[in-house]
Amino acid sequence: MKQLALKIRNSLPAPLRSELQIQFESLRLGRLPRVACDPGRLGPAGPVGLGDLFTDPAITARWNGHGRHVDALPAFPVHAGSMSDIDRRALYFLAHRLAPAAVLEVGTHLGASTLLIAAALDDLAAAGRLPGFSITTVDIRDVNDPVTRPWRTYGSAASPRELLASIGCADRVEFVTSPSLDYMARTDRRFDLIFLDGSHSAAVVYREVPMALRLLRPGGYVLLHDVHTDFADLRRRGSLCPGPALALRRLQAEVGGFAVQPLGALPWYCAEHDSHTTTLALLTRSAQA
């Protein structure tokens, strides 16, 4: 039955598929009771400096000297459900600017984002700008399982742990196998940056964001992937990922106190998506909070 439903859905025009997904996600989200949400620990937008972040000459020099080499190591296959090349580059620049000592990532997958965050923070540590750092990355399955080797399913040559070891950062990263909501509910750790890129369901993201805000150190930030703020464009492209934006819209309407800062247009081109735009978005404390 599921295969038949999937076949029918895929036969529909792309705009109609997107519209149905938006309505389905909205319906599921609307059934959830309101959750408590406190954005008070979020840092302001000012220190991030998104206006000049991606043209910062110092970070650009580090990318050209080290980051680009690291990004080329695993040769992540295109259309493997992993981040695009310009997303990974943007993540490296952002991690360099924020310099978080403790990072929580939800959604390890092939380890692409984990690798680039670690590379940026390792740069800072080597330069004496960061005394030390740790990354906790959570996925619903064991991404390093030596028996099932899930990375090979997507055409990657190495496990996430092996990738981190190749740049000397394996001891900086803790891999956790758990549903994100379960992990965030039980951990007593606090983080400077939390990157949500696991489930893209509106119903899950709606609950993840308040939990992430609770786990922030004061002045920390929450970053999300696949935030499509322009639903008209989403419909045109036939994207099936409205969940994060829907969840954020509801939280802003209910709570306020935070702003969604899309990283938006980048000075680099992604051939995979024929675009200069990233769907990464940063949550910051709003000016009125």
Side-chain angles (χ1 to χ4, degrees):
M1 185 62 71
K2 285 186 177 180
Q3 290 182 339
L4 177 59
L6 183 62
K7 185 175 181 180
I8 294 173
R9 188 193 72 178
N10 291 341
S11 69
L12 298 173
L16 180 56
R17 290 203 308 271
S18 288
E19 183 59 38
L20 289 174
Q21 188 68 17
I22 292 170
Q23 296 304 319
F24 174 73
E25 290 275 6
S26 298
L27 181 63
R28 291 185 62 195
L29 178 62
R31 290 173 176 166
L32 291 180
R34 179 170 175 166
V35 298
C37 183
D38 179 8
R41 293 186 181 88
L42 278 171
V48 183
L50 288 178
D52 68 354
L53 170 60
F54 301 117
T55 56
D56 184 304
I59 303 178
T60 299
R62 289 306 304 153
W63 171 262
N64 290 334
H66 181 225
R68 189 189 302 275
H69 170 69
V70 170
D71 191 50
L73 283 177
F76 293 113
V78 176
H79 302 306
S82 191
M83 299 181 77
S84 71
D85 54 353
I86 64 171
D87 286 338
R88 298 195 298 269
R89 186 170 177 176
L91 190 58
Y92 176 92
F93 272 62
L94 184 64
H96 232 285
R97 174 66 61 85
L98 296 179
V103 177
L104 171 62
E105 175 189 43
V106 169
T108 315
H109 192 40
L110 298 178
S113 49
T114 323
L115 184 72
L116 269 296
I117 294 171
L121 300 185
D122 194 47
D123 280 349
L124 294 171
R129 292 177 52 200
L130 195 63
F133 69 90
S134 65
I135 301 172
T136 302
T137 182
V138 179
D139 202 281
I140 199 168
R141 66 179 176 179
D142 182 353
V143 296
N144 298 296
D145 189 323
V147 176
T148 61
R149 299 181 180 184
W151 60 93
R152 290 195 171 184
T153 302
Y154 298 94
S156 183
S159 71
R161 182 175 285 116
E162 290 169 336
L163 294 176
L164 271 298
S166 72
I167 64 168
C169 289
D171 61 337
R172 302 281 195 172
V173 179
E174 177 188 8
F175 293 92
V176 178
T177 303
S178 172
S180 61
L181 296 174
D182 291 351
Y183 175 79
M184 289 193 285
R186 70 174 181 262
T187 187
D188 58 1
R189 299 183 63 188
R190 295 297 180 264
F191 304 92
D192 302 298
L193 174 66
I194 298 178
F195 180 34
L196 301 179
D197 190 26
S199 170
H200 292 73
S201 158
V204 174
V205 176
Y206 176 73
R207 289 172 288 174
E208 281 182 338
V209 170
M211 298 179 82
L213 293 173
R214 181 182 62 83
L215 296 178
L216 281 181
R217 290 173 176 166
Y221 295 91
V222 176
L223 180 71
L224 295 93
H225 191 218
D226 290 316
V227 179
H228 296 271
T229 55
D230 183 351
F231 274 27
D233 181 64
L234 185 146
R235 291 181 177 94
R236 285 193 300 271
R237 290 176 175 270
S239 172
L240 298 179
C241 195
L246 286 170
L248 292 173
R249 285 184 180 185
R250 177 173 170 182
L251 286 168
Q252 282 188 302
E254 292 175 347
V255 180
F258 71 92
V260 179
Q261 308 276 353
L263 272 56
L266 301 172
W268 321 301
Y269 173 70
C270 175
E272 177 186 349
H273 298 297
D274 187 24
S275 173
H276 292 272
T277 303
T278 178
T279 57
L280 289 166
L282 191 70
L283 304 190
T284 62
R285 189 173 70 245
S286 64
Q288 296 78 23

